[in-house]
């Protein structure tokens, strides 16, 4: 009986017991009979991993074999303690065999080219057929037809949903009897290749050749550990993809060796950052005043300089990306500031207008960009805050209170609660929020954007789209209309109709509707152009990044210039002082006490929104590596809102979806295929403060553009921006993906972790329960009674016991945990 061995080594990046590798042994045994399922290896179809075999007992046309698989734990190479790692790399750099932009498509051809390259470099002589026979299980064997690599190392991560492979690199090992010393060759492919299951996007191949009898620290496995440990770092692989020459490639290897040898280095694999750790919540953690802020600063301060320098020099320069992102943020922040400023202007009767909103956004945004622990997060005044301000104005009218003083007092109480929350680590409560709960709230915010756009459009139609009619049919009005109609036609003076007749023109609301939908359509089409084959890749990326600004400028021009005869609704502008210090002495003790209660509800709203937005921004799939600062950012928001309150400017907090879209703008995104389904994944993100800082500085300077040209932006274009933000924000929302499953046939379901591991009925039950929670939030959050919206933050808090206590009684807890788990 013929017996062939195959060894698979799987490097484990993150296991509960630590980092390491898994050794896998495979024996291929022939039983001497005809195999039952033929498999002929071809260049275009290479089975890297163990293929699924279909046994047909009545088949006589192929040979049958047995595969025996075993795994062994192997640790990652420790560059700080193991001298052999540095010697291995020095030996490779002394006579480096590197293939850049290899055009071969099949693994067999790539390995053949690498062997030829090693031979040309004079690193050894061997029989190529002998080496090939050692590389593959079926090479040279007439009986076995399963085409597998004999020894490999590949990065994997143990997750809550199973094992996820690093599919962009592959290390192949081989013992060659005729060799006198070890050889290493690294190939970077011209484009990612699909070599079968768990190796669908290979960009790097490392070939290790070694004599069979070597010192224990110099075996092929030990040499492979060195290079596998280096390539397990996703940011390192990203840097290698950007190198142009072999010298640049070797320089990155040297820099990575220095980084791995640093005492403070931690491998930048896809690790969970944020408040959702498995560590249980303890009461004593809230009594350790300042500890959370201290840990936040200790984690983020070492990266502060790099937040300004990353992407500004060297081979990873991203000036064009930064410029387009800053332009996108400028438009994405400025237009909502105008919209919510106009809403505040109407509700407060000019106390807080568009000018103050833009100035407040500029001041608060610059402070947050400079000092926040999460610079990718964008602060903004939001729709819930505008509604809260309108409620405060109503209370002031009902009880004859001074609005600036009462507004400032509520803001100061709110800031006090936020600062105390940061000092006493209240953000740890976010451990109670599961992914599904965050997605419900995020989807509610997206729906709220749609609701604001729809309500604004309905208001325009209600005001303008109807037949001319008299307001109150008074005698004076009838007489005025009769005088107008009795004027002689030959009169040289123009006929002046009453305002009520002039307003009722149907072309105005129709044009508003077209501008809103046009802004949405053009923006989204340009946003998707990066996925099309048209134009150059760099041009597609720039156009996609600037999709929103292009759409806003074009349709503002269409509405304000091409249809100049049709008067479109725009925001109001008043010339007056921007800063008005609040006269707090006008409030009584009872007024201050009442403001305390409203300040607590406002702090609760900002606390939930702020932390959920930071959590969504730092989600594992976004690949942010510099850490978070929940407690520090909460306290910083409190300090910013002190300034806003005293000066009579609108409050602000971390905003969704601006923050997640900011990450998306600075991300390098790749398309991947899993079992026939195409999906996008973020490879890396340029974490910088420059984009948000530049955008907010420009917003502050935009106060000099009032009233013209900013008044050239019609309100329908602002509504179109709201729709665009809502539509682009739902990408990656797992709840939306599961809602879409209700409309798909089962054969088209994507191979996600919850489809694989949770019964289909349970998945749909869970989606239905989420929809009920979402409808409840919408009912309370969009109810026309203003005071009902004051208790909305408490309703969001109630989602925690619903997820922790109620849902496990309907769906098993193990299935809930799987659905809530992260899949990348």
């Amino acid at each position: 009986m013929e017996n062939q061995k195959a060894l698979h080594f799987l490097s484990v990046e993150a296991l509960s017991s630590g980092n390491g590798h898994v050794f896998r042994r495979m024996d291929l045994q022939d039983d001497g009979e005809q195999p039952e399922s033929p498999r002929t290896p071809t260049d275009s179809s290479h089975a890297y991993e163990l293929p699924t075999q279909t046994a047909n007992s009545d088949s006589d046309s192929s040979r049958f074999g047995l595969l025996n698989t075993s795994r062994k734990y192997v640790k990652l190479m420790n560059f700080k303690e193991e001298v052999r790692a540095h010697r291995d790399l020095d030996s490779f750099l002394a006579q480096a065999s590197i293939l850049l932009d290899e055009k071969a498509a099949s693994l067999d051809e790539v390995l053949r080219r690498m062997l030829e390259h090693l031979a040309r470099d004079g690193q050894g002589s061997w029989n190529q057929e002998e080496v090939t026979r050692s590389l593959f299980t079926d090479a040279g064997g007439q009986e076995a037809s399963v085409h597998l690599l004999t020894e490999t190392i590949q990065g994997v991560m143990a997750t809550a949903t199973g094992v996820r492979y690093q599919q962009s690199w592959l290390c192949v090992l081989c013992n060659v009897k005729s060799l006198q010393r070890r050889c290493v060759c690294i190939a970077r492919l011209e484009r990612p290749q699909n070599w079968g299951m768990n190796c669908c996007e290979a960009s790097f191949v490392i070939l290790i050749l070694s004599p069979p009898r070597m010192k224990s620290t110099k075996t092929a496995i030990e040499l492979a550990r060195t290079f596998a440990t280096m390539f397990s770092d996703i940011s390192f692989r990203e840097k290698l993809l950007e190198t142009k020459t072999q010298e640049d490639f070797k320089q990155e290897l040297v820099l990575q060796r220095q980084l791995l040898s640093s005492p403070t280095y931690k491998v930048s694999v896809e690790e969970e950052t944020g408040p959702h750790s498995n560590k249980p919540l303890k009461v004593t953690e809230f009594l350790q005043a300042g500890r959370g802020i201290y840990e936040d600063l200790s984690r983020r301060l070492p990266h502060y300089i790099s937040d300004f320098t990353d992407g500004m020099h060297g081979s990873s320069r991203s000036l064009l990306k930064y410029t387009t992102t800053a332009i996108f943020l400028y438009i994405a922040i400025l237009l909502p500031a105008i919209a919510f400023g106009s809403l505040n202007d109407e509700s407060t009767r000019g106390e807080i207008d568009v000018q103050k909103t833009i100035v407040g956004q500029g001041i608060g945004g610059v402070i947050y960009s400079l000092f926040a622990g999460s610079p990718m997060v964008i602060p903004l005044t939001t729709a819930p805050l505008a509604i809260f301000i309108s409620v405060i104005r109503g209370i002031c009218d009902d009880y004859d209170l001074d609005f600036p003083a009462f507004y400032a007092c509520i803001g100061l109480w709110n800031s006090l609660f936020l600062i105390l929350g940061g000092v006493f680590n209240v953000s740890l409560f976010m451990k109670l929020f599961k992914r599904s709960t965050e997605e419900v709230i995020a989807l509610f915010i997206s729906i709220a954007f749609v609701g604001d756009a729809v309500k604004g459009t309905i208001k325009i139609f209600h005001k303008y789209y109807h037949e001319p009619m008299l307001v109150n049919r008074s005698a004076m009005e009838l007489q005025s209309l009769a005088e107008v109609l009795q004027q002689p036609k030959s009169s040289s003076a123009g006929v002046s109709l009453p305002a009520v007749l002039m307003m009722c023109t149907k072309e105005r609301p129709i044009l508003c509707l077209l501008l809103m939908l046009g802004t949405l359509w053009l923006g989204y089409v340009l946003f998707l152009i990066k996925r099309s084959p048209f134009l150059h890749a760099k041009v597609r990326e720039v156009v996609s990044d600037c999709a929103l600004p292009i759409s806003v400028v074009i349709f503002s021009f269409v509405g304000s210039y091409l249809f100049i005869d049709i008067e479109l609704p725009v925001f109001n502008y008043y010339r007056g002082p921007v800063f008005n210090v609040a006269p707090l002495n006008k409030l009584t003790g009872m007024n201050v006490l009442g403001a305390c209660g409203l300040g607590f509800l406002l702090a609760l709203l900002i606390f939930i929104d702020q932390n959920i937005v930071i959590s969504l921004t730092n989600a594992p799939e976004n690949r942010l590596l510099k850490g978070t600062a929940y407690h520090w950012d909460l306290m910083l928001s409190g300090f910013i809102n002190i300034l806003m309150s005293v000066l009579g400017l609108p409050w602000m907090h971390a905003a969704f979806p601006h923050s997640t879209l900011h990450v998306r703008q600075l991300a390098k995104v790749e398309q991947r295929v899993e079992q026939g389904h195409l999906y996008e994944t973020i490879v890396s993100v340029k974490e910088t403060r420059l984009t948000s800082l530049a955008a907010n500085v420009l917003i502050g300077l935009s106060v000099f553009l009032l009233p013209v040209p900013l008044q050239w932006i019609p309100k329908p274009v602002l509504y179109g921006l709201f729709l665009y933000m809502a539509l682009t924000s739902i990408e990656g929302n797992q709840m939306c993906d599961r809602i879409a499953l209700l409309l798909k046939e089962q054969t088209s379901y994507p191979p996600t972790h919850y489809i694989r591991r949770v019964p289909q009925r349970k998945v749909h039950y869970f989606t239905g329960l989420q929809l009920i929670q979402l409808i409840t939030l919408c009912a309370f959050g969009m109810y026309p009674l203003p005071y009902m919206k004051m208790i909305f933050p408490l309703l969001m808090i109630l989602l925690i016991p619903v997820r922790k206590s109620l849902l496990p009684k309907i769906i098993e807890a193990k299935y809930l945990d799987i659905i809530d788990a992260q899949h990348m």
Side-chain angles (χ1 to χ4, degrees):
M1 180 182 296
E2 186 173 315
N3 189 341
Q4 294 179 325
K5 295 182 179 179
L7 303 176
H8 282 229
F9 300 86
L10 305 177
S11 71
V12 178
E13 296 177 351
L15 295 172
S16 58
S17 58
N19 292 330
H21 296 81
V22 171
F23 168 85
R24 182 163 118 180
R25 175 183 176 186
M26 300 174 60
D27 291 341
L28 179 63
Q29 299 181 349
D30 192 318
D31 59 358
E33 297 180 1
Q34 293 289 332
E36 297 181 357
S37 65
R39 183 176 182 87
T40 303
T42 63
D43 286 349
S44 61
S45 175
H46 176 81
Y48 161 67
E49 261 297 341
L50 179 62
T52 302
Q53 300 276 348
T54 304
N56 301 317
S57 59
D58 57 348
S59 174
D60 295 328
S61 60
S62 60
R63 306 289 293 174
F64 174 74
L66 299 176
L67 282 173
N68 177 269
T69 303
S70 61
R71 289 179 173 84
K72 176 184 175 183
Y73 184 79
V74 182
K75 292 182 179 180
L76 290 167
M77 183 67 76
N78 189 332
F79 276 71
K80 294 186 285 290
E81 298 179 0
E82 300 187 53
V83 179
R84 175 51 56 187
H86 299 272
R87 293 180 178 177
D88 288 342
L89 185 59
D90 290 337
S91 176
F92 172 74
L93 294 173
Q95 193 173 3
S97 292
I98 301 173
L99 289 174
L100 296 182
D101 300 328
E102 174 58 46
K103 293 181 172 59
S106 69
L107 178 58
D108 303 65
E109 183 65 18
V110 170
L111 292 176
R112 186 182 67 81
R113 298 276 183 88
M114 296 174 76
L115 290 172
E116 292 175 352
H117 193 269
L118 284 170
R120 284 198 302 269
D121 288 347
Q123 296 201 34
S125 59
W126 51 76
N127 185 301
Q128 187 154 328
E129 291 186 3
E130 175 189 351
V131 177
T132 305
R133 196 159 40 242
S134 301
L135 286 173
F136 295 102
T137 60
D138 64 337
Q142 299 294 327
E143 299 85 359
S145 60
V146 179
H147 197 58
L148 292 173
L149 289 168
T150 55
E151 299 185 15
T152 62
I153 283 183
Q154 187 180 15
V156 298
M157 171 178 281
T159 67
T161 58
V163 175
R164 187 176 68 254
Y165 286 78
Q166 285 188 341
Q167 304 193 33
S168 61
W169 65 279
L170 178 65
C171 183
V172 182
L173 291 75
C174 180
N175 289 322
V176 181
K177 294 181 181 179
S178 59
L179 274 181
Q180 300 300 317
R181 63 185 184 87
R182 301 176 302 169
C183 301
V184 180
C185 182
I186 301 177
R188 186 185 70 187
L189 307 184
E190 186 179 40
R191 59 179 56 88
Q193 299 295 334
N194 185 347
W195 289 335
M197 188 185 304
N198 301 326
C199 197
C200 298
E201 49 186 22
S203 296
F204 297 97
V205 179
I206 306 114
L207 177 62
I208 308 288
L209 302 180
S210 174
R213 298 180 61 85
M214 294 292 291
K215 184 180 177 181
S216 60
T217 58
K218 300 175 67 176
T219 61
I221 299 174
E222 292 298 311
L223 181 58
R225 281 179 59 212
T226 299
F227 288 93
T229 301
M230 299 180 74
F231 276 81
S232 64
D233 188 338
I234 186 173
S235 59
F236 170 64
R237 299 197 301 272
E238 179 66 23
K239 294 175 183 176
L240 290 182
L241 288 173
E242 298 173 354
T243 56
K244 304 297 183 182
T245 64
Q246 289 193 12
E247 291 301 320
D248 293 339
F249 197 96
K250 291 192 289 186
Q251 183 64 27
E252 290 297 339
L253 290 172
V254 174
L255 294 176
Q256 180 68 4
R257 190 248 305 268
Q258 296 174 355
L259 191 62
L260 289 168
S261 303
S262 173
T264 60
Y265 176 74
K266 187 175 182 181
V267 178
S268 57
V269 296
E270 303 85 283
E271 56 188 37
E272 262 190 50
T273 59
H276 303 308
S277 62
N278 295 324
K279 185 180 178 181
L281 194 62
K282 298 180 180 178
V283 178
T284 55
E285 293 178 312
F286 299 106
L287 303 178
Q288 300 172 352
R291 179 180 176 182
I293 295 175
Y294 172 78
E295 292 178 351
D296 288 344
L297 295 177
S298 299
R299 180 167 51 250
R300 283 295 307 173
L301 279 178
H303 301 289
Y304 188 77
I305 300 299
S306 66
D307 288 340
F308 293 95
T309 58
D310 284 355
M312 296 300 294
H313 54 78
S315 59
S316 61
R317 290 180 62 185
S318 304
L319 297 181
L320 180 61
K321 190 73 171 177
Y322 286 0
T323 302
T324 56
T325 301
I327 295 173
F328 165 81
L329 284 179
Y330 172 68
I331 297 296
I333 298 173
L334 177 64
L335 268 62
I338 293 174
F340 295 135
S342 179
L343 184 61
N344 287 332
D345 181 32
E346 295 174 4
S347 62
T348 63
R349 295 189 286 280
E351 294 286 356
I352 300 177
D353 57 4
V354 173
Q355 184 182 20
K356 290 186 177 182
T357 304
I358 292 177
V359 171
Q361 175 63 45
I363 295 174
V366 168
I367 295 174
Y368 200 91
S369 301
L370 289 175
F371 301 109
S374 301
M376 305 301 290
V377 172
I378 303 298
L380 194 69
T381 184
T382 59
L385 293 180
I387 294 172
F388 209 97
I389 292 173
S390 67
V391 173
I392 294 173
R393 180 72 217 198
I395 294 174
C396 291
D397 293 340
D398 293 340
Y399 296 95
D400 195 24
L401 301 176
D402 184 77
F403 174 77
F406 196 58
Y407 174 85
C409 189
I410 293 174
L412 292 176
W413 277 114
N414 157 68
S415 299
L416 175 62
F417 290 128
L418 292 179
I419 293 172
L420 291 177
V423 171
F424 289 98
N425 314 318
V426 179
S427 291
L428 292 175
F429 273 119
M430 292 305 297
K431 291 182 179 181
L432 302 177
F433 279 86
K434 298 295 184 179
R435 172 188 173 129
S436 56
T437 306
E438 294 176 353
E439 288 180 337
V440 170
I441 297 176
L443 193 54
F444 165 78
I445 296 174
S446 299
I447 293 175
F449 272 103
V450 176
D452 290 337
V454 172
K455 284 189 293 185
T457 305
I458 291 176
K459 186 182 296 184
I460 293 174
F461 269 78
H462 181 73
K463 186 175 182 180
Y464 300 116
Y465 193 86
H466 54 76
E467 296 297 332
M469 62 176 59
L470 301 177
V471 177
N472 50 21
R473 295 183 174 87
S474 64
M476 184 179 298
E477 201 172 40
L478 289 171
Q479 183 178 358
S480 175
L481 179 60
E483 292 175 357
V484 170
L485 296 176
Q486 290 174 2
Q487 289 182 9
K489 296 182 179 179
S490 59
S491 174
S492 59
V495 176
S496 177
L497 294 176
V500 66
L501 297 180
M502 293 296 294
M503 288 175 55
C504 303
T505 54
K506 293 185 178 181
E507 62 269 18
R508 189 179 300 182
I510 295 298
L511 179 59
C512 291
L513 179 63
L514 294 177
L515 290 177
M516 180 185 72
L517 297 179
T519 304
L520 169 65
W521 171 79
L522 182 59
Y524 196 64
V525 167
L526 295 180
F527 172 74
L528 295 179
I529 198 173
K530 61 184 177 183
R531 305 176 187 174
S532 72
F534 302 107
L535 305 177
H536 189 271
K538 285 290 185 182
V539 177
R540 292 198 303 267
E541 183 179 7
V542 172
V543 172
S544 178
D545 290 343
C546 295
L548 182 60
I550 292 173
S551 180
V552 168
V553 170
I554 288 177
F555 280 93
S556 295
F557 173 78
V558 170
S560 299
Y561 183 78
L562 297 185
F563 292 91
I564 194 171
D565 294 335
I566 301 177
E567 185 179 353
L568 295 174
V570 295
F571 64 88
N572 297 320
Y573 173 71
Y574 311 100
R575 293 190 180 275
V578 177
F579 305 114
N580 294 313
V581 180
L584 294 175
N585 57 342
K586 293 184 178 181
L587 298 178
T588 65
M590 291 302 296
N591 297 152
V592 174
L593 189 60
C596 178
L598 293 174
F600 176 77
L601 290 176
L602 178 61
L604 193 60
L605 173 65
I606 293 180
F607 167 79
I608 295 174
D609 283 354
Q610 171 95 10
N611 284 285
I612 285 181
V613 169
I614 295 178
S615 179
L616 292 171
T617 304
N618 290 274
E621 66 266 26
N622 287 340
R623 305 286 200 271
L624 300 184
L625 305 176
K626 295 183 179 180
T628 58
Y630 287 85
H631 313 288
W632 168 256
D633 288 348
L634 186 65
M635 187 173 71
L636 180 63
S637 295
F639 285 124
I640 291 175
N641 283 316
I642 289 177
L643 186 62
M644 301 293 109
S645 302
V646 173
L647 298 180
L649 304 176
W651 301 308
M652 61 196 320
H653 61 75
F656 179 87
H658 302 74
S659 302
T660 53
L661 291 178
H662 184 202
V663 173
R664 195 82 177 180
Q665 288 286 122
L666 291 172
K668 180 175 181 179
V669 181
E670 290 184 353
Q671 289 188 337
R672 298 181 178 178
V673 179
E674 186 175 357
Q675 297 185 11
H677 292 267
L678 181 68
Y679 67 98
E680 288 187 342
T681 183
I682 293 177
V683 177
S684 63
V685 178
K686 297 290 185 182
E687 299 181 56
T688 178
R689 298 178 185 269
L690 296 177
T691 50
S692 59
L693 179 62
N696 283 291
V697 169
L698 291 176
I699 288 171
L701 296 176
S702 297
V703 72
F704 299 108
L705 302 179
L706 290 171
V708 174
L710 289 185
Q711 271 192 335
W712 291 347
I713 303 176
K715 282 188 177 181
V717 175
L718 305 181
Y719 301 150
L721 173 134
F722 285 172
L723 296 179
Y724 173 89
M725 303 290 281
L727 184 59
T728 54
S729 67
I730 65 175
E731 287 196 12
N733 190 308
Q734 185 177 292
M735 180 180 173
C736 294
D737 296 338
R738 282 186 278 102
I739 292 175
L741 295 181
L742 300 173
L743 306 176
K744 294 181 179 180
E745 58 180 354
Q746 296 183 12
T747 55
S748 63
Y749 282 9
T752 57
H753 62 283
Y754 52 85
I755 292 295
R756 289 192 180 108
R757 303 185 62 189
V758 181
Q760 177 181 319
R761 188 186 300 267
K762 303 290 185 182
V763 173
H764 294 327
Y765 281 169
F766 185 80
T767 305
L769 293 170
Q770 276 190 303
L771 284 173
I772 294 174
Q773 298 175 58
L774 178 62
I775 293 172
T776 305
L777 284 182
C778 292
F780 279 85
M782 301 180 183
Y783 194 75
L785 185 63
Y787 292 97
M788 184 72 74
K789 299 172 183 177
M790 301 293 288
I791 64 171
F792 182 71
L794 299 176
L795 189 64
M796 288 194 289
I797 293 291
L798 290 178
L799 294 180
I800 296 177
V802 169
R803 172 59 181 85
K804 298 284 288 185
S805 303
L806 181 59
L807 292 188
K809 296 180 179 179
I810 303 174
I811 302 174
E812 291 90 331
K814 62 178 182 179
Y815 293 142
L816 293 176
D817 293 337
I818 292 173
I819 296 176
D820 270 335
Q822 181 59 51
H823 175 66
M824 296 176 289

